[in-house]
Amino acid sequence: MTIKALFLKLSSDIELRTCYEVVNELGNGSSNRNPWKSKEIHRIFTFCEHGLTTNLVSNYFREFVRMKNEIVLDPFVGSGTVLIEASNFANICIGIDSNPWAIMVSKAKTTMPTIEEDDFLEMIETIEDYEPLIPSRRLRTYHTNGQIEWLGRIRNLIQDLSNDKILGLVVFGKLADNFSRLKQSPAPRFRKTSRYQRLNTIADEFKKKFLEAIHDIRGNNGNNTQTELILADSSTWIPTNFDGILTSPPFANNIDYIRHTQLYLLWSGIADSSSDLGKLRGFQIPACEAAARCLKNKSEKRWIIDKISVIDPKRSYQAFLLEYFYSMEKHFEFVEKSLNWEAWYTIGDSFFNSKYIPTHKLLKKLAEEIGLKTKLQTIGFRPGGRKLYLLKLIAN
Ligand SMILES: C[S@@+](CC[C@H](N)C(=O)[O-])C[C@H]1O[C@@H](n2cnc3c(N)ncnc32)[C@H](O)[C@@H]1O
C-alpha cells in the first residue's frame, strides 16, 4: 500500500481529519509512575511516562490564562494529556501526532459519546452471534486461537458502534494487549508462554471498560473548547497561529512508538503488514534504532557530531541521533515563525551503552541558533534515576 493510500484509508475508515498533503512532503517513525494512569478520562488509554507532571501542567495553564492566551498547541500529542487538561483553560486546543493511534486515542477522549447505555448492553448480550473480524493475518502471532476468536467478535461488534467506533477501538486496544502474548516492559516482547486468562471474561472486560470510558468523558466539564486533531509530521508542518505549546516530544532514548502501538494499529485496520508499520515509522521524529533505517536528513552540525561521537558506532545510535536533532531543528524553525508566547518541552535524559548525551542542552542550543530565547531547568527524575528537564522557548 502506498503512503497516500494508507492515509486515505485511515481517513475514510475512521473519519479522522488528516493532513496527508503535509505529511507527504517528507516523501519517504510503561512506567507505573505515570500520574495520569488512574485519572478519569486519561485512564482510558495513556502512553508511557513523559514528564508532564500534574504540577507542571497546572503551572503552565495558570501562566497561559494569566497572559490571556487562547490557542494552545501540542505538536506531539500522544494520548492527549495536554489536550484534556487544556479544555478547562484554552479556547482552542490543537493536537498533532504522526502516529494514527495517538490521534485516535486523543480523538476518543475529546469526543462526546452518542450511544445509549442500554443499546450498548443489548449489543454486547449478543456477542456470541458476531463472526470474528480479524483485520490482519499478522495478529495471529500475538494471540492464541481462543483469544483471537473472542477479540475478533468484539472487533466486529465495534463496527456497529457508528459514532463511537473510535472510542470502541481505543478501549479494545488495551483489552487486546491484556489478552495477548505481549509483555509491554520496557519494549514490547513476546512471552514464551501465554498468561492464563479465562476467555469468557473478554467480553465482560470490554463492557466494563467501555461503559467506564463513556462515563469518564460525559463527566468532563471542559466542553466549551474547540479541539482540533491533525495527523501530521511536526517536523515538516505546524499551524501558523497559536499562542503557546505544552508538549513532551519524543525523547532521544530509543523508544519506538510505532512498535509500542503496532498491535492497536493492526487491530484498527490502519496497518496490515510490517511494511505499513515501517512507513508510519518514517513519519516519526527518529528517536530509536528502527527509525534510523528510514531515509532521513542528518544534522551536519559539528558541535552535535562531536558530542555524540563518544557513543559506540557499532549500534545505530549515532545515526538516529543525527536524524533526531535535524528533525527537532526543523520543528523549532516552524515554532520560531509562529509562536506568540511560550513553548514548554519536557526533555528526558539520554544514555546509550552507558554514555550520557545531554540532549536537553543540545536542543537548547539548536533553538537559540534559530533565534529563540530559552530557559532550561531540571524538573525531576524519571524511573531509573534519570533526570527530566523543562526547556522553555520564548517568542521574540
Ligand atoms: C512522549 S510522546 C507524547 C506523550 C503525550 N504527552 C501523552 O499525553 O501521551 C511523543 C509523541 O510524539 C509523536 N511523534 C513522534 N514523531 C512525531 C512527528 N514527527 N510529528 C508528530 N508527532 C510525532 C509520537 O507518535 C508520540 O505520540
Side-chain angles (χ1 to χ4, degrees), residues 283-298:
F283 295 118
Q284 294 270 294
I285 298 270
C288 63
E289 286 189 282
R293 289 185 216 122
C294 309
L295 280 178
K296 287 251 172 158
N297 291 314
K298 291 182 169 46

Side-chain angles (χ1 to χ4, degrees), residues 53-292:
T53 62
T54 44
N55 258 347
L56 179 76
V57 174
S58 43
N59 287 347
Y60 178 85
F61 283 110
R62 198 171 42 244
E63 283 299 294
F64 184 89
V65 170
R66 195 172 68 79
M67 299 305 289
K68 301 196 174 9
N69 288 312
E70 295 196 353
I71 308 176
V72 67
L73 167 69
D74 184 343
F76 305 99
V77 74
S79 56
T81 310
V82 168
L83 280 201
I84 290 149
E85 293 304 299
S87 66
N88 294 309
F89 305 104
N91 291 339
I92 302 176
C93 315
I94 308 168
I96 303 177
D97 208 289
S98 61
N99 182 342
W101 180 253
I103 295 291
M104 284 173 66
V105 173
S106 297
K107 180 85 181 161
K109 289 174 166 179
T110 52
T111 305
M112 202 47 81
T114 56
I115 196 161
E116 294 292 336
E117 237 176 78
D118 284 349
D119 292 343
F120 171 69
L121 289 173
E122 232 172 75
M123 279 167 81
I124 199 95
E125 279 298 304
T126 62
I127 188 69
E128 300 212 23
D129 300 338
Y130 279 89
E131 286 294 316
L133 169 65
I134 300 151
S136 162
R137 276 216 321 248
R138 216 179 130 103
L139 285 164
R140 296 201 175 271
T141 55
Y142 292 80
H143 305 284
T144 62
N145 288 343
Q147 285 171 340
I148 205 154
E149 198 166 303
W150 271 100
L151 289 168
R153 287 197 179 111
I154 300 171
R155 178 63 185 82
N156 203 359
L157 176 146
I158 290 170
Q159 295 296 99
D160 290 345
L161 287 178
S162 52
N163 289 344
D164 303 308
K165 189 172 158 191
I166 294 181
L167 180 61
L169 287 172
V170 169
V171 172
F172 177 81
K174 228 171 158 180
L175 188 78
D177 221 344
N178 291 342
F179 288 88
S180 75
R181 292 174 51 219
L182 273 185
K183 191 175 164 203
Q184 279 290 9
S185 152
R189 283 175 211 293
F190 283 114
R191 292 169 194 277
K192 287 207 178 74
T193 53
S194 190
R195 283 171 289 178
Y196 172 74
Q197 288 140 333
R198 279 179 301 153
L199 295 177
N200 56 0
T201 61
I202 299 187
D204 279 345
E205 278 290 300
F206 180 70
K207 177 167 88 181
K208 193 170 110 200
K209 291 293 176 193
F210 188 72
L211 291 175
E212 181 183 272
I214 289 180
H215 167 271
D216 280 5
I217 300 168
R218 289 196 175 139
N220 186 25
N221 296 324
N223 293 329
N224 295 326
T225 306
Q226 183 189 334
T227 303
E228 298 287 344
L229 279 158
I230 303 168
L231 180 69
D233 172 356
S234 289
S235 66
T236 61
W237 179 87
I238 60 172
T240 48
N241 181 30
F242 56 89
D243 296 315
I245 287 181
L246 176 59
T247 194
S248 50
F251 297 168
N253 61 3
N254 214 11
I255 287 205
D256 179 352
Y257 287 96
I258 296 300
R259 181 158 173 220
H260 272 276
T261 55
Q262 60 186 334
L263 182 60
Y264 324 128
L265 291 164
L266 293 169
W267 269 113
S268 308
I270 292 167
D272 186 35
S273 60
S274 50
S275 134
D276 285 352
L277 293 167
K279 283 171 196 160
L280 289 172
R281 191 174 288 111
F283 295 118
Q284 294 270 294
I285 298 270
C288 63
E289 286 189 282

